[in-house]
């Protein structure tokens, strides 16, 4: 039986006060240094064209302009996170509107803008592919087609009692982080460069900059203090902008600052990949799926970026919470002439889940069954229906209990009847309700990325400095990791300070992505802390055998201190009996044998005991054969359910999300307040993707909706009128650090309940429609057009 956590809120976000006070330091808050240059990017205005001429003479003659760099100034011009196919600066051909062509450096921002405007580029236009369907017709693809399959799909479809076919069309989404891409590069002696970047992946910045400059990795240091939002948009695409700043800094010998405007950032950078998914599904009279055949096509844009891995996760999540006995999931990334699309919160997961949740609604309405019953009948369970289509057994599965618990908590059946009665009598409004689930796999699907390291330094006064490869983008990863460290040493949280992420302290780091930032880095930090604590416990046991006047703090200066031994060779007692709690260290069975943590740090230092350590962690038990599409790609699954109710104005198409109830299994949260914040934030961001965030391009692939005035992210007025978020107890979760579960991405997928609730409402206008195709997002305009079309057909 599902029980809801009775959780006291944890400590506040480590930057909460400084954010409110305006004292938090972001990249562009760093004070300028003498001689610092401002850097701007000249980008393509054509989607596909030969570069006939790039004339920089007028720019160089402009007052205040110091230098202009083009592709000929780049040591190694190709980069790419998975496939190195993208130029840092376009050379002979441009392949999307917004592709960087040249970099201008000037004394002031105003001079830099003048220089940008004076660069003259001549193009010879080439044919452009601007949609998924055009790419399919032209066979314009990135990498090979992939398949994950189980069972005999063709036979099961042929023998199924009922079948449906359809297409789900999913548009992209802009990350709309508040801090645009920005970097400052400082030239250092000996050809070195230090970069302060807004990046989720400092190691990739280091590597791309080193590669582009033609220098070894040890000559580049990347530092990330914090980001003003990331959401995946700074996982890979921040690296070229950091390189442009480093190019200017190393070639001029002056510090260089690059800060994109919001408009340029939106035009130049990739979004959540648009998808078009064709599917056929066979099912029985009860709505149980016999077979699913799905072909997923994504718009990768002009270059690969992370699109192949995004497609892989979409394929892996095409089951979502539902058992597929016979399944064939085929994925193909399309190559078009738009900005290369990239990671976005949820990666490919939301697209696969959107498809299967749409299928669930269509099955239900075609049979005249409540969609919740169809979902419950197809949900993973323990009766042999607990293995995914890629062969991973679903452990610690709470999905059946979560469905039942939220059905009762949300009073779903009564509200369903009430909504049906309302829709039957109302001429002006429609209501809809939907209860959907999420089963989100936690781990990078590329195994080598599932590793983390941490440096822990304990000082003589009992304070602790902590450095990890995690990057803080507002999600609270620093607070969570600091809480794990503080608990390990039994000290107050304010005794732990998380230092800026730097590639000179934490090498070969994975990006802070895949919801794994805390999992990897907190575990690595804990490894280091436990080693230090074990040595300190040995010191404590030896001190307790001495008179305090013999302790090193009293005798070390005289050279009469006893030599305390922390090697394995000396048996000093069971260190597991030593407790670190409340700022003190004591023996559990004899609490009077006690010393303050700070004093023990001092005694340990004077005894020449190591008070720092480096921890390393790699996620165990994961493996996935990408060729066969089989294996255990995920360490565990985060699960949840949401029930959303919507109200639609039939005369205007206006949408109101009236009520949302949400249950999430996050194991044992490290910080409940941060986790609830992540859940609500992810859900609302997902609502934007589902309902308001409409990307509009012209016939050249130029993004027209490139500012807050034309691109509508959710405001406070768009949030659910009633919003109830609860975390459930899960004592069976024991795998992860502190028995917690990742929270960053999974709740976003529950926002699809708003989209399927819209679908549910619209079905009342045309109850005879077997499958109702809705695009993502369903904006007010699209809802109004759908109401009009369905009213005519219904």
């Amino acid at each position: 039986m599902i029980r809801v956590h009775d959780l006291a809120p944890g400590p506040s976000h480590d930057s909460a006060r400084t954010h409110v006070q305006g004292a938090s330091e972001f990249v562009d808050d760093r004070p300028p240094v003498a001689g610092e240059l401002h850097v701007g990017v000249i980008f393509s205005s054509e989607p596909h064209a030969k570069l006939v001429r790039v004339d920089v003479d007028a720019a160089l003659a402009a007052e205040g302009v110091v230098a202009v760099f083009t592709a000929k100034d780049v040591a190694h011009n190709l980069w790419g996170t998975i496939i190195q196919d993208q130029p840092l600066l376009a050379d002979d051909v441009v392949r999307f509107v917004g592709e960087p062509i040249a970099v201008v450096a000037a004394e002031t921002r105003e001079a830099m803008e003048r220089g940008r405007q004076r660069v003259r580029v001549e193009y010879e236009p080439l044919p452009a592919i601007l949609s998924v369907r055009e790419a399919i017709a032209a066979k314009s693809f990135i990498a090979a087609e992939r398949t994950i399959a189980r069972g005999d799909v063709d036979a099961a479809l042929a023998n199924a009692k009922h079948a449906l076919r359809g297409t789900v069309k999913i548009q992209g989404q802009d990350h709309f982080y508040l801090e645009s891409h920005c970097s400052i590069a400082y030239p250092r002696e000996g050809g070195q460069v230090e970069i302060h970047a807004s990046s989720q992946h400092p190691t990739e910045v280091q590597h791309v900059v080193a590669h582009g400059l033609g220098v070894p990795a040890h000559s580049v240091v990347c530092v990330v203090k914090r980001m003003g939002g990331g959401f995946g948009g700074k996982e890979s695409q921040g690296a070229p902008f950091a390189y442009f700043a480093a190019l200017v800094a190393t070639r001029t010998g002056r510090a260089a600052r690059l800060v994109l405007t919001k408009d340029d950032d939106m035009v130049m950078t990739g979004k959540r990949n648009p998808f078009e998914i064709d599917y056929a599904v066979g099912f029985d009279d009860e709505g149980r799926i016999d077979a699913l055949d799905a072909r997923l096509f994504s718009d990768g844009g002009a270059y690969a970026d992370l699109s192949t891995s995004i497609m892989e996760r979409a394929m892996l999540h095409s089951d979502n919470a539902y058992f597929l006995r016979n399944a064939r999931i085929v994925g193909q990334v399309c190559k078009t002439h738009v900005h290369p699309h990239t990671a976005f919160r949820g990666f490919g997961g939301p697209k696969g889940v959107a498809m299967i949740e749409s299928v669930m609604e269509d099955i239900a309405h075609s049979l005249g069954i409540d969609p919740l019953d169809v979902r419950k009948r197809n949900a993973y369970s323990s009766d042999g229906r607990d293995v995914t289509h890629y062969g991973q057994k679903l452990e610690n599965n709470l999905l059946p209990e979560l469905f039942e618990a939220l059905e009762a908590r949300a009073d779903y059946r009564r509200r369903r009847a009430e909504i049906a009665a309302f829709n039957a009598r109302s001429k002006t409004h429609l209501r809809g309700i939907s209860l959907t689930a999420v089963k989100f796999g936690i781990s990078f699907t590329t195994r080598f990325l599932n590793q983390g390291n941490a440096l822990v330094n304990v000082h003589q006064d009992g304070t602790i400095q902590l450095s990890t490869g995690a990057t803080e983008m507002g999600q609270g990863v620093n607070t969570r990791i600091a809480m794990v460290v503080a608990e390990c040493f039994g000290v107050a949280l304010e005794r732990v300070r998380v230092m800026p992420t730097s590639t000179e302290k934490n090498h070969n780091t994975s990006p802070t992505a895949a919801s794994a930032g805390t999992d990897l880095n907190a575990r690595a930090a804990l490894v280091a802390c436990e080693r230090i604590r074990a040595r300190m416990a040995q010191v404590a046991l030896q001190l307790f055998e001495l008179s305090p006047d013999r302790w090193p703090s009293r005798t070390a200066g005289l050279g009469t201190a006893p030599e305390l031994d922390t090697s394995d060779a000396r048996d000093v007692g069971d260190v597991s009996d030593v407790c670190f709690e409340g700022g003190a260290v004591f023996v559990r069975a004899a609490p009077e044998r006690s010393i303050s943590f700070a004093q023990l740090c001092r005694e340990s230092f004077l005894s020449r005991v190591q008070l720092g350590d480096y921890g390393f962690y790699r996620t165990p038990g994961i493996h996935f054969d990408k060729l066969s599409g089989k294996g255990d790609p995920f360490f565990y699954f985060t699960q949840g359910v949401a029930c959303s109710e919507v109200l639609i104005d039939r005369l205007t198409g206006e949408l109101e999300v009236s009520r949302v109830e949400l249950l999430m299994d996050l194991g044992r949260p490290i910080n409940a307040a941060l986790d609830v914040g992540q859940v609500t934030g992810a859900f609302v961001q997902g609502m934007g993707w589902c309902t308001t965030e409409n990307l509009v391009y012209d016939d050249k692939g130029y993004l027209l909706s490139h500012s807050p005035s034309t691109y509508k992210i959710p405001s406070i007025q768009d949030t659910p009128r009633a919003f109830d978020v609860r975390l459930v107890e899960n004592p069976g979760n024991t795998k992860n650090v502190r028995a917690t579960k990742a929270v960053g991405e999974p709740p976003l997928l529950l926002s699809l309940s708003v989209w399927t609730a819209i679908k549910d409402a619209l079905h009342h206008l045309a109850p005879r429609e077997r499958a109702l195709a809705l695009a993502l997002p369903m904006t007010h305009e699209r809802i109004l057009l759908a109401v009009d079309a369905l009213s005519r057909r219904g």
Side-chain angles (χ1 to χ4, degrees), residues 228-503:
F231 309 116
K234 296 175 181 177
E235 181 175 342
S236 62
Q237 297 205 350
F241 299 111
Y243 167 73
F244 299 150
L247 174 64
V248 170
T250 54
R251 295 294 289 270
T252 65
R254 298 166 66 175
R257 181 183 303 248
L258 183 152
V259 181
L260 296 183
T261 65
K262 175 56 69 178
D263 301 82
D264 284 354
D265 187 294
M266 291 185 72
V267 169
M268 297 174 72
T269 61
K271 322 297 176 194
R272 185 188 294 281
N273 294 71
F275 268 62
E276 292 195 26
I277 304 173
D278 301 324
Y279 68 86
V281 61
F283 50 96
D284 64 17
D285 289 333
E286 298 296 313
R288 291 185 182 86
I289 292 177
D290 295 318
L292 175 69
D293 190 8
R295 294 185 63 84
L296 285 62
F297 296 98
S298 73
D299 185 344
Y303 303 104
D305 200 271
L306 289 161
S307 290
T308 53
S309 286
I310 290 165
M311 173 58 76
E312 180 177 80
R313 188 170 278 267
M315 297 168 69
L316 291 169
H317 283 75
S318 290
D319 60 330
N320 191 26
Y322 312 110
F323 176 72
L324 302 175
R325 188 179 304 280
N326 299 284
R328 180 168 55 224
I329 314 297
V330 180
Q332 178 65 70
V333 179
C334 296
K335 186 173 185 177
T336 62
H337 294 106
V338 298
H339 33 217
H341 293 296
T342 191
F344 201 120
R345 196 174 194 172
F347 219 53
K351 275 77 79 168
V353 172
M355 179 269 295
I356 193 66
E357 292 296 350
S358 181
V359 167
M360 290 292 163
E361 291 287 320
D362 289 340
I363 289 173
H365 288 292
S366 71
L367 294 173
I369 299 173
D370 191 303
L372 177 56
D373 291 326
V374 173
R375 289 184 168 95
K376 289 166 64 176
R377 289 166 189 168
N378 283 285
Y380 281 106
S381 57
S382 58
D383 54 352
R385 297 167 58 88
D386 59 355
V387 178
T388 67
H389 57 299
Y390 45 89
Q392 181 165 1
K393 185 177 177 62
L394 182 59
E395 299 175 348
N396 191 221
N397 175 27
L398 297 187
L399 287 167
E401 293 91 340
L402 286 167
F403 272 120
E404 294 291 344
L406 189 58
E407 178 183 342
R409 188 175 193 90
D411 199 8
Y412 177 87
R413 301 294 174 176
R414 181 193 62 77
R415 289 166 62 194
R416 166 64 74 190
E418 182 184 289
I419 287 169
F422 174 89
N423 288 335
R425 66 175 183 270
S426 177
K427 302 298 183 184
T428 59
H429 289 81
L430 289 169
R431 288 165 63 186
I433 190 170
S434 185
L435 197 161
T436 67
V438 65
K439 171 189 66 66
F440 195 87
I442 305 300
S443 293
F444 291 95
T445 56
T446 300
R447 185 167 61 175
F448 65 76
L449 292 174
N450 294 285
Q451 58 178 299
N453 56 64
L455 173 64
V456 178
N457 291 324
V458 180
H459 295 282
Q460 296 179 53
D461 64 353
T463 59
I464 301 156
Q465 286 180 326
L466 166 67
S467 302
T468 77
T471 55
E472 178 63 61
M473 63 192 94
Q475 80 278 37
V477 67
N478 284 352
T479 301
R480 289 184 178 87
I481 299 174
M483 288 178 68
V484 170
V485 170
E487 183 184 72
C488 183
F489 288 119
V491 298
L493 182 61
E494 58 266 23
R495 305 288 284 177
V496 181
R497 184 174 297 278
V498 181
M499 308 307 292
T501 308
S502 172
T503 55

Side-chain angles (χ1 to χ4, degrees), residues 52 97 104 132 222 224 232 242 285 291 335 357 419 426 429 447 537 566 595 620 635 643 654 727 738 741 752 771 790:
V52 176
V97 172
V104 60
V132 167
C222 178
V224 177
D285 289 333
K335 186 173 185 177
E357 292 296 350
I419 287 169
S426 177
H429 289 81
R447 185 167 61 175
T566 59
I595 184 174
F635 190 37
C643 181
E654 183 178 359
L727 309 183
R738 278 274 308 265
K741 282 192 174 186
L752 287 161
L790 291 170

Side-chain angles (χ1 to χ4, degrees), residues 447-453 520 523-524 527 616-622 635:
R447 185 167 61 175
F448 65 76
L449 292 174
N450 294 285
Q451 58 178 299
N453 56 64
L520 295 175
R523 177 72 80 177
V527 168
F616 177 80
Y617 173 74
R618 61 179 188 175
T619 308
I622 55 173
F635 190 37

